[in-house]
Amino acid sequence: MPKVKQSRKQFFTNILNAVGAGVVIALLPNALLGELLKFFKDGQPTLELMYQLVVIIQSFMAFIIGALAAHAFKFSGPGIVITGVSAMLGSGAVQFKGNAIVLQGIGDIINVILVVMLACCLFIILKDKFGSLEMIILPVLIPVFSGLVGLLILPHVRKVTQALGAMIQSFTDLNPLMMSILISMTFALLMVTPISLVAIATAISLEGLGSGAGNMGIVAACVTFIFGSLGVNKLGVNIVLIIGAAKMMIPVYLKHPIIMVPLAINGAIAGTLTYLIGIKGTPMSAGFGYTGLVGPLNAFARMNGEPIMNIVLLTFGYLIIPFTFGFIVHQLCKKWLPGYSDDIYRFEIPKQ
């Protein structure tokens, strides 16, 4: 019985680690270069092409996660491809429009996880069961069945996002300060999960102060994981977190839900800052934090008054105050919160 439990634990660990690494590989190119290329690409065919490539890369997130999960299970080359294709088909990112096949966003991460789990289970169970026919049967059976199941459950999985969207939308009926705090806390708590905050924000057309609060909630989440990670993870992981790609820490967060405490505190602080400074944005900017300067640039464009003063306010709002309080909150949690330590932020990089 202990062996069974251990194998189950390792199974979920492999899947979650693949999600964490896959999100970074897929989203980092656009996070680093997207906004910069968007600014300079007009009239520059090469830069336009580069911009298109970084957007396309993130659309293959499901395939990357599936391939990394299969690699963690030490599948053969064909098994890795089969799992990756299954994830891509069931993610919702690949769609038929007329007679064309198009890539639509990155898909639903929750659905990707479920499809990858199914595809990996099928490959583990069916491997070596068909002898010489394996290379004929498995590439047909696993992707088609896993992809079909994924697309059938996708509408139901998306109801989770819709329910969260309805909850966040209800916050907009409150007074501005309470709205900002609750939205910021919610975004901080959900940022490092398989939930797509961009999907939520666009679905409910979250804009103005509500969008700014969501944006600052993501900043709060990034700050929380940065200070937790600095003492236990290598330079590469910390740089990725500083850039703003905190979703890579999904496996860490799901294993240690106690991290919700500093996330909620930092989220409340960020929400208060949103109200005091008047940080605003659009539905699309709500899900980016400071990554690519999407949040600060959108907030700056919607501020009145002297530009220099606005830049100073945004510098304090996005960097100085969140990082200062993030450090203080982390130290206080380590001192007073049982079970909370630097070590829970350790990120396991999938072995080569």
Side-chain angles (χ1 to χ4, degrees), residues 53-131:
L53 290 176
V54 297
V55 172
I56 291 171
I57 289 171
Q58 67 181 17
S59 294
F60 281 89
M61 184 186 70
F63 181 90
I64 295 168
I65 291 173
L68 288 172
H71 180 266
F73 287 113
K74 298 183 173 16
F75 289 177
S76 61
I80 291 174
V81 174
I82 287 170
T83 308
V85 170
S86 300
M88 196 73 187
L89 293 176
S91 68
V94 181
Q95 298 180 5
F96 268 104
K97 289 196 175 178
N99 294 321
I101 298 174
V102 298
L103 292 175
Q104 187 72 37
I106 62 175
D108 188 293
I109 304 181
I110 298 177
N111 226 53
V112 171
I113 294 173
L114 296 175
V115 173
V116 168
M117 290 170 59
L118 175 59
C120 288
C121 284
L122 287 174
F123 192 85
I124 291 170
I125 292 169
L126 299 177
K127 187 176 179 297
D128 300 326
K129 295 293 192 298
F130 299 100

Side-chain angles (χ1 to χ4, degrees), residues 215-339:
N215 202 261
M216 288 297 291
I218 291 174
V219 173
C222 291
V223 168
T224 301
F225 281 92
I226 287 169
F227 284 112
S229 172
L230 283 175
V232 293
N233 290 317
K234 294 182 179 178
L235 180 63
V237 173
N238 292 325
I239 289 176
V240 170
L241 290 174
I242 291 170
I243 290 169
K247 256 197 186 325
M248 71 180 292
M249 302 297 274
I250 287 175
V252 170
Y253 187 30
L254 295 183
K255 289 178 187 175
H256 305 286
I258 196 171
I259 297 173
M260 293 175 71
V261 175
L263 281 174
I265 297 171
N266 287 326
I269 294 169
T272 305
L273 282 174
T274 303
Y275 172 75
L276 294 175
I277 296 174
I279 296 173
K280 298 178 181 179
T282 67
M284 282 302 296
S285 71
F288 284 90
Y290 57 69
T291 304
L293 296 180
V294 175
L297 289 175
N298 275 275
F300 180 75
R302 287 161 178 78
M303 294 179 76
N304 299 318
E306 291 295 323
I308 298 299
M309 179 56 68
N310 291 340
I311 291 173
V312 171
L313 287 173
L314 290 176
T315 301
F316 272 89
Y318 273 90
L319 293 176
I320 296 175
I321 297 178
F323 275 81
T324 300
F325 276 92
F327 174 77
I328 294 171
V329 169
H330 180 61
Q331 296 303 320
L332 290 176
C333 285
K334 284 200 298 182
K335 184 175 181 180
W336 299 106
L337 191 60

Side-chain angles (χ1 to χ4, degrees), residues 160-174 178-180 182-188 190-191 195-202 204-207 210-211 213-214 286:
V160 175
T161 303
Q162 293 167 359
L164 290 169
M167 180 187 73
I168 293 170
Q169 192 168 35
S170 71
F171 296 155
T172 61
D173 297 329
L174 304 173
M178 188 58 66
M179 175 196 73
S180 297
L182 290 176
I183 290 179
S184 182
M185 288 177 65
T186 303
F187 270 61
L190 293 178
M191 197 276 180
I195 303 293
S196 171
L197 294 177
V198 174
I200 290 176
T202 52
I204 65 174
S205 297
L206 189 65
E207 57 186 0
S211 171

